[in-house]
Amino acid sequence: MNLHLEQPLWLLSGLLAVPMAAAAMVAFSTMSRWRRGLSALVRTLLVLLIAVILAGLASVRETHKVAIIAVVDVSESVQRQPAEGSQGAEGSARITSTLEAVRVQLLRATARRGPEDLLGIVAFDAGQMLVASPSPAKLVADRPLEYTSREGTNIAGALAFAASLVPTDATGRILLITDGVQTEGDGLKTAREIASASGLGSGISTLVLGTSAGVSIDVVPLRYAVRPEVLIESVDSPPVAAVGAPVTVRAILRSTDAASGTVRLLDNGQEVDVNGSEPGTGRRMVLSAGANLFVAEIPIGTSRVHRFRVVYEPDPAPGGQGPLGDRIAVNNEGESFTITPSVGSVLHVDGVAEFSDELRPSPLAETLRAAEIEVTTVPAAGIPTDLLSLQNYDLVVLENVPADAVPLNSQQAIAAHVREMGGGLIMIGGPMSFASGGWKGSPIEPILPVVIDLPDTVVESEAAIVFILDNSGSMSRSIMGSSRSQQEIANESAARAVLSLNRKDLVGVITFNNSYDVVTPLLPNANPAATAERIRGISAGGGTNAGPALEEAKRSLAGVKAKVKHVVLLSDGKSQRASRLPEIAKEMHEQGITVSAISIGDGADLPTMEAIASNGGGEHFNPTNPNILPRIFLKAIRVVRTPMYRVEPFDPVVLESASAGLRGLGKPPTLGGLNLTQARQEPTIITSMTTPKGEPLLASWRAELGQVAAFTSDAGEWANRWLSWPGYGQFWTQLVRSISRPSQQRLFQTRLSAEGTNLTITMDATAEDGTPIEFLRTPATVYAPSGEATEVELRQTGSGMYEATLRAKETGTYVAVVRPSLGDRVFAPVIAGTSVRFGVESQRLEPDPALVSAIA
């Protein structure tokens, strides 16, 4: 295909301006000598100029390049379809994958392209990835198409990205291959914008603005019909129920054909008998084509939150050939939530049993149970990661628990549980708690009633730590279907590690790709927030060459004085001159510098990274899930830190400001140690006990709606003399009861429901006398499964009825916290939850040919 572009006349005039000006200079020189020839010369020039204009001369640029951008839908709805009946090239093996069939067809279609013709490939689901930039077709047509960003389909984003790839010197065509099931954006609108912006009438835009000369869009519709298929379309239960009252759970199962199977119902993971007097716990159902209703009425226990899950299990097909009447397993379950206004229990996180040398359980839990307080004891990994599940507990007790053992979303949920839902929190000390447990810079630090930044009189330059971060191009890969890249996770992890260090610790940050860059030189950590922001701004690009960065770290640490010198190296790939890296680590270790290594991603050079850590006297970490990198970084620096606690006997001092819960206890026995903290200078903090030096031992305060207490000694080893003290049980029982959330009557029935990717919050506000509550202000926070918070405002839609809608970007459990108020009166917050178990793609059983046709 040839493309002819006419240049505007002003451009031609510009090109002619120089020789015409030269001619004019010569002419004027001639006129000074032969004045009588002036008239003839002017007439001649005018005639020549008019002749040029009338001739309509144009500069013609000709291009033989055609750039085709194949935009391939790789979303779940496409990938789950088999390419039935497709054959490989030249009688090769049968093709079983739709994406493999697309790849084969691209190979065939490009076999006869011209030498200047280009092919680019974009793969997309909810995000986009450049599989191949526009290149000679034969070089890129065979590229694999397997790619996953995150759940969903964004045709609009893929089209816009593809249009930007067309070279300015080529004719552009977009070949869109999709089933048309879009969950984000407006593909038709974007297609119209591309079409309207790509006409051939403006040479100015082509030459000056650099846009491509025309981009047309062709489509290849992917057609299929998912049948036979059964999916759970919805699950419903009352948002609020009284303790012990029967609750009705309803589910709609939609089937394309007649089918049969078993429906099971679980309450907080425990299977419920839905057959009455019939044996078994599941209910057999014979489904007809269309909607089928499942109803079960069950009594519920004393748990505050009930997570009901309905699961459909299809019967096996005759002969064991897979399930009968069902093809997609991911849409065979659904969830709903019911909340009861019961008294919550205490969640005790026992770090004594998990992290102490003796691995014996703390005596605290049994002491509380003896006082008839309901206690649930879990390891650090057992803390709920969502706000809704925490509603079962009026108090969380963290006993000798390090921050790196607690997932970040659990930390965020605990902080929100206290601030927004009125839950209580007690942090108890130990060798793995407070500052020595790495809690500085965590989401929980701001709500503690003590400061875990140590006084300058205590802090010495304990550690000099250099973080070396790979920022090569491969670090831009997305992580496990999320929208975040490996680089973003690594940056945030290193930033959190810096925030957890003390002000006098020395911190340096180096990045490397083809070369290295010193982001932060090795200096005292005087402004950790500024350092963290610089780390968060690191971007990815280039190759992988870690050697020069390690050498720079060695040079920077060689001349400093610190009790500990440590390097943390992170990489996801194979470095140039990799064999030299363990040698550098060995040289560093011989100079008193330890080196730990973190390998992430499938492409990491594990043998080399392990050798670096071994030769460097450090640890090697290889997390299978990069999302836990923040915990890995905290652990990597915690193991080299001098503990920030003091082990020596002291007699507690009970102050006059002590809370009523300490009265009548008498003089407490001697304690054997405590974590080093400072008093927080806030007038609302009650400091009840200190050391003889005035250091905080027991302090408490209200953090927005909830209460938090800090006991900087422990409840066992350092407090071994307390165990035989008659006041031990009274002390802990009174403290737990005073910090726990009080029970409150609920006036608002709130529901969070999901339909496809839309979330709807509804609230029914009714006073105790049954009258609707009007004109409330109802701000709400919705927490996504990742912990991301979205603020919305419910609007009044009827008498006592309020509602808001927003879009769900992830699968998993969503929690809404609504904070109603009326004038100066602020009501207790209410909570609701729902699960987005699968997106629109798993609910759509057919493609959308109408959208694909409209785009074409």
Side-chain angles (χ1 to χ4, degrees), residues 348-540:
H348 173 231
V349 187
D350 188 0
V352 176
E354 191 172 0
F355 301 108
S356 65
D357 294 335
E358 298 180 359
L359 298 178
R360 290 183 299 187
S362 165
L364 179 61
E366 289 306 316
T367 299
L368 297 177
R369 292 187 182 104
E372 298 184 348
I373 295 175
E374 184 180 345
V375 179
T376 301
T377 299
V378 298
I383 302 175
T385 57
D386 63 273
L387 186 57
L388 189 65
S389 298
L390 277 174
Q391 298 317 299
N392 283 316
Y393 309 103
D394 287 332
L395 176 69
V396 177
V397 178
L398 299 174
E399 184 178 4
N400 190 44
V401 178
D404 60 77
V406 181
L408 177 60
N409 47 4
S410 292
Q411 297 182 32
Q412 294 168 332
I414 291 173
H417 180 53
V418 172
R419 293 193 312 264
E420 300 189 23
M421 300 308 302
L425 171 67
I426 299 176
M427 181 175 282
I428 301 174
M432 298 293 183
S433 190
F434 292 100
S436 59
W439 286 102
K440 185 176 182 295
S442 71
I444 289 178
E445 181 201 9
I447 64 174
L448 292 175
V450 295
V451 176
I452 56 180
D453 249 339
L454 302 188
D456 291 340
T457 56
V458 175
V459 176
E460 300 176 3
S461 182
E462 298 283 358
I465 299 177
V466 177
F467 297 97
I468 304 178
L469 304 180
D470 186 343
N471 70 329
S472 60
S474 57
M475 289 290 290
S476 62
R477 296 170 181 155
S478 62
I479 285 181
M480 301 187 73
S482 73
S483 59
R484 296 194 298 173
S485 67
Q486 291 184 157
Q487 191 70 63
E488 291 170 317
I489 295 290
N491 294 352
E492 183 60 31
S493 305
R496 288 192 59 209
V498 168
L499 291 172
S500 75
L501 294 168
N502 287 322
R503 295 186 304 276
K504 288 194 174 182
D505 286 331
L506 303 178
V507 176
V509 182
I510 301 172
T511 60
F512 68 92
N513 42 61
N514 292 320
S515 58
Y516 73 89
D517 181 41
V518 178
V519 177
T520 301
L522 189 64
L523 294 170
N525 193 32
N527 192 345
T531 302
E533 283 308 303
R534 284 196 291 273
I535 294 173
R536 291 185 176 111
I538 295 171
S539 58

Side-chain angles (χ1 to χ4, degrees), residues 34-341:
W34 298 287
R35 299 177 63 89
R36 282 188 282 184
L38 175 62
S39 241
L41 179 59
V42 171
R43 285 196 300 271
T44 302
L45 289 174
L46 287 174
V47 168
L48 287 173
L49 181 59
I50 292 170
V52 167
I53 295 173
L54 293 177
L57 292 181
S59 170
V60 177
R61 179 164 61 94
E62 200 174 82
T63 176
H64 295 273
K65 290 184 181 178
V66 177
I68 297 177
I69 312 297
V71 182
V72 184
D73 188 340
V74 296
S75 62
E76 181 189 351
S77 60
V78 171
Q79 294 207 41
R80 72 185 179 214
Q81 304 306 324
E84 296 181 1
S86 299
Q87 298 290 330
E90 299 179 0
S92 60
R94 184 184 183 87
I95 298 172
T96 58
S97 158
T98 296
L99 293 184
E100 177 65 13
V102 170
R103 189 187 65 82
V104 169
Q105 292 303 322
L106 285 177
L107 272 173
R108 292 174 178 172
T110 56
R112 299 179 181 178
R113 304 306 302 173
E116 294 189 25
D117 290 340
L118 307 176
L119 174 65
I121 303 174
V122 173
F124 75 97
D125 47 19
Q128 308 91 38
M129 185 186 78
L130 180 62
V131 176
S133 58
S135 308
K138 294 181 179 179
L139 300 180
V140 298
D142 198 27
R143 295 278 178 91
L145 298 173
E146 286 71 19
Y147 158 72
T148 299
S149 164
R150 55 189 172 89
E151 186 179 24
T153 303
N154 188 346
I155 296 174
L159 289 175
F161 181 51
S164 70
L165 299 175
V166 178
T168 57
D169 62 345
T171 300
R173 300 185 73 86
I174 292 175
L175 179 63
L176 175 64
I177 305 172
T178 182
D179 62 358
V181 178
Q182 63 178 351
T183 62
E184 299 180 29
D186 188 337
L188 181 57
K189 178 182 177 183
T190 301
R192 286 171 174 158
E193 291 172 351
I194 292 173
S196 64
S198 61
L200 303 183
S202 175
I204 295 178
S205 68
T206 299
L207 293 170
V208 179
L209 302 180
T211 58
S212 59
V215 179
S216 59
I217 302 175
D218 299 319
V219 299
V220 176
L222 299 176
R223 303 182 184 278
Y224 54 81
V226 181
R227 61 183 311 172
E229 175 60 19
V230 177
L231 62 86
I232 294 184
E233 196 168 73
S234 65
V235 177
D236 179 74
S237 62
V240 179
V243 178
V247 167
T248 301
V249 180
R250 295 179 174 87
I252 295 178
L253 290 77
R254 185 167 295 278
S255 181
T256 60
D257 301 87
S260 60
T262 301
V263 179
R264 302 186 184 278
L265 174 62
L266 294 88
D267 178 3
N268 291 335
Q270 298 297 314
E271 196 157 1
V272 178
D273 190 346
V274 293
N275 290 316
S277 59
E278 297 180 16
T281 55
R283 181 183 299 173
R284 293 273 301 124
M285 289 189 68
V286 177
L287 307 178
S288 58
N292 299 264
L293 180 64
F294 167 85
V295 180
E297 185 174 273
I298 59 171
I300 57 175
T302 58
S303 296
R304 177 167 286 170
V305 176
H306 297 268
R307 186 193 299 256
F308 296 113
R309 186 157 63 100
V310 177
V311 180
Y312 172 73
E313 298 176 353
D315 289 341
Q321 300 298 314
L324 179 65
D326 192 46
R327 292 179 57 185
I328 304 172
V330 71
N331 57 17
N332 284 0
E333 62 179 62
E335 289 186 338
S336 67
F337 296 84
T338 295
I339 296 175
T340 61

Side-chain angles (χ1 to χ4, degrees), residues 517-763:
D517 181 41
V518 178
V519 177
T520 301
L522 189 64
L523 294 170
N525 193 32
N527 192 345
T531 302
E533 283 308 303
R534 284 196 291 273
I535 294 173
R536 291 185 176 111
I538 295 171
S539 58
T544 305
N545 189 6
L550 273 173
E551 294 281 8
E552 175 60 25
K554 183 173 70 172
R555 283 193 296 271
S556 65
L557 287 165
V560 303
K561 293 183 178 181
K563 293 182 180 179
V564 175
K565 299 179 183 181
H566 191 61
V567 170
V568 180
L569 168 68
L570 177 142
S571 180
D572 77 331
K574 298 176 174 62
S575 173
Q576 302 173 32
R577 301 187 64 194
S579 60
R580 167 69 177 143
L581 302 183
E583 298 175 13
I584 301 175
K586 184 177 180 180
E587 294 168 2
M588 297 172 76
H589 194 206
E590 291 170 350
Q591 297 176 15
I593 303 168
T594 56
V595 184
S596 292
I598 303 174
S599 304
I600 62 171
D602 296 334
D605 186 354
L606 294 181
T608 299
M609 296 291 278
E610 289 172 352
I612 290 172
S614 177
N615 287 2
E619 291 193 49
H620 176 247
F621 304 93
N622 181 29
T624 56
N625 179 0
N627 285 312
I628 68 170
L629 271 179
R631 295 161 60 188
I632 296 296
F633 266 82
L634 289 175
K635 185 175 182 180
I637 63 172
R638 177 169 60 82
V639 297
V640 300
R641 296 299 313 278
T642 300
M644 285 171 282
Y645 56 84
R646 184 173 63 240
V647 180
E648 65 180 28
F650 69 93
D651 292 325
V653 177
V654 180
L655 304 180
E656 292 183 0
S657 61
S659 60
L662 289 176
R663 293 172 189 165
L665 289 177
K667 180 177 175 57
T670 299
L671 289 167
L674 85 161
N675 295 88
L676 302 177
T677 64
Q678 295 185 77
R680 188 184 287 274
Q681 300 304 313
E682 292 285 346
T684 59
I685 290 177
I686 299 174
T687 301
S688 301
M689 302 173 73
T690 67
T691 70
K693 298 179 181 180
E695 299 156 312
L697 175 58
L698 175 62
S700 61
W701 72 334
R702 180 170 292 279
E704 297 187 26
L705 297 181
Q707 295 190 90
V708 183
F711 187 73
T712 59
S713 188
D714 70 5
E717 183 178 353
W718 294 340
N720 60 349
R721 297 189 185 182
W722 281 38
L723 298 177
S724 58
W725 173 45
Y728 179 83
Q730 183 181 351
F731 170 79
W732 286 111
T733 299
Q734 291 179 169
L735 180 62
V736 162
R737 285 176 173 159
S738 65
I739 300 298
S740 292
R741 171 177 54 189
S743 59
Q744 296 177 331
Q745 185 175 8
R746 297 182 180 273
L747 303 176
F748 310 98
Q749 290 199 21
T750 305
R751 180 190 298 274
L752 179 62
S753 58
E755 183 176 351
T757 57
N758 291 323
L759 295 173
T760 302
I761 312 170
T762 55
M763 187 179 75

